[in-house]
Amino acid sequence: MAAIIGEMRERLKTRISKYMSYLLRHNPENLKIDEYGFVDFNELLQKIREKFPNADESLIMEIVERSEKKRFEMKDRRIRALYGHSIPIKLKLREDSSVKILYHGTTPEAAKNILKDGLKPMRRRWVHLSPTPEIARSVGLRRTSHPVILEIDAEKAREDGVKFYRATEEVYLCDYISPKYIKLMKE
Ligand code: HQG
């Protein structure tokens, strides 16, 4: 019985986390969002409870603090998404000056285009990159059972003026990567 309740709670957390990502990354609807992407935590909680009446503060805090990916950030009772946005906000992250190689996992079809045209943000504000091939593979697996892993020469790109930002331990962001810094990863 306890196991079933635990599983139901996990499933509810996943649905609420997806709703939070939708609101904070793409469409805040009637929530007041500032230029850095933060909304008032109580307002967000109220909004979530309109859809998920069982949601409470401790459940949301579990999502923020204990999910397998760190998707959200809290500051002074305000909350924002750390990456994934399509709405125009300023994340104001500190530029990363140390990472040498980054990875990007994608479909074989997209990889072909990326090697020709470069990595573009597509529907989001930034290109999303991974610090390890394993993480890149899991990103690619969202779209295909046979992900292609691309290797980005971040050190060379940085020398040429490209700026990288570390949003979380698993996610780096940048505006665009030219094909000259991208190659297929050797398996
Ligand atoms: C592709 C998830 C054709 C790119 C993940 C990708 C990540 C191109 C797709 C985060 C292209 C965009 C973001 C070009 C890029 N031609 N295709 N020139 N340039 N693409 O979802 O990186 O679970 O916007 O390869 O784990 O897949 O939501 O980006 O396939 O961290 O927290 O265009 O979202 O995190 O797809 O994923 P996405 P992404 P969450």
Side-chain angles (χ1 to χ4, degrees), residues 3 29 70 78 98 100 111 139 180 186:
E29 297 182 355
K70 180 159 176 53
R78 295 176 74 70
S98 58
K100 291 187 164 54
V139 173
K180 67 181 169 199
K186 288 185 240 77

Side-chain angles (χ1 to χ4, degrees), residues 20 87 158 170:
M20 288 165 61
I87 47 175
R158 189 184 298 107
E170 297 201 356

